[in-house]
Amino acid sequence: MDVGIPRALLYYRYGKFWEKFLAGLGANVVVTRKTDKVLVEKGLGHVSSEVCLPIKILAGHLADLKGRVDAVFLPRIVWLEDHLYACPKMIGIVDIARMMLGNNTKLIAPSLKGNILLPHLIAGLKISPNPIRVIKAFSHARSELSYHTGEPEFRPGEKRVALISHFYNLGDDYVAHPILSTFSNHGYRICTKDELPESILRNRDGFAENIRWVYERELYNAFVYFMDKVDGVCVVMSMGCGPDSLVAEFMRQQAHQHSIPFLQLVIDEHTGEAGLVTRIEAFIDMAERRKSALSAA
Ligand code: SF4
């Protein structure tokens, strides 16, 4: 059975786990190619212009799989532990996928509500009827879900920027490449939430307790962790993202109170590379002037 996985959104955190799980069930796993302009344009034709770029990108990958595979595997995270919810658009994409794929491509979309084991086992049985094989495939694949356990190490004197954005933005070269390469070309070490342990990302101390969206809490906790360890903070969010716009505003206020250079980049499918690079270079210039002024004082 050919089972497709769209290389978008949750793929950037759970993709390796899903690939291994499905392969362990005997499926021929087909992962879509890396995002490109053609895929983005395909996605634009299937979702409202109001939705965020990651959902448009996912729609493009889904459209690319339609008719090419027997089934598409697209788990829906509703909530994880501590009743931390995924954003409504992320939850709703499965219904859009159902409409997009039609009747000829099966959709296997386990709903995860706090527990990842049971929904995966039930979904696995749709591919292999052998429950022992499904349990073994899950146990084998589970190692791909591990987080970092330790905190990052910093070298004295290095220039650092905290890049605060969802893993599906920073993992997708089409979205992140101009941002990552501009900071790297200026000699910056880029700190992201992906290098932090789960204990920090899911921490519920202070204001984080009020944030009930799972990935927003991770962003905020990463911001708090890095804030006093970097020369500046750059938040990359998508146009049309309600959760990001709310949490980014709290980050902006906190950065302002601590006099930390703060840049907020809002991206969509029209964002041009030149504009991003110019804004980042102006931010770097400002952060470096501030640093020189502080060390001269
Ligand atoms: S959190 Fe924001 S960017 Fe992510 S899927 Fe939801 S609306 Fe889109």
Side-chain angles (χ1 to χ4, degrees), residues 9 52 54-55 87 89-90 166 168 216 238 240-244:
L9 212 65
C52 60
I55 297 288
C87 96
K89 285 175 191 149
M90 215 181 262
H166 291 295
Y168 40 85
E216 298 300 328
S238 297
C241 174
D244 274 10

Side-chain angles (χ1 to χ4, degrees), residues 9 50-56 86-91 166 168-169 213 215-216 219 236-245:
L9 212 65
E50 302 296 313
V51 302
C52 60
L53 182 59
I55 297 288
K56 289 171 180 159
C87 96
K89 285 175 191 149
M90 215 181 262
I91 296 173
H166 291 295
Y168 40 85
N169 289 330
W213 296 296
Y215 300 123
E216 298 300 328
L219 290 184
V236 181
M237 54 172 281
S238 297
M239 178 85 79
C241 174
D244 274 10
S245 57

Side-chain angles (χ1 to χ4, degrees), residues 4 9 19 23 34 40 121 132 184 215 230 245 270-271 281 285:
L9 212 65
E19 281 183 50
K34 289 185 174 180
V40 176
L121 297 187
I132 306 288
S184 297
Y215 300 123
V230 294
S245 57
H270 304 297
T271 303
E281 286 182 336
D285 194 39

Side-chain angles (χ1 to χ4, degrees), residues 72-77 93-95 97-98 106-112 119 123 126:
V72 168
F73 189 72
L74 184 68
R76 177 199 324 245
I77 289 184
I93 188 68
V94 169
D95 302 302
R98 232 181 274 286
K106 195 166 154 187
L107 181 64
I108 303 174
S111 266
L112 313 188
K126 293 180 182 165

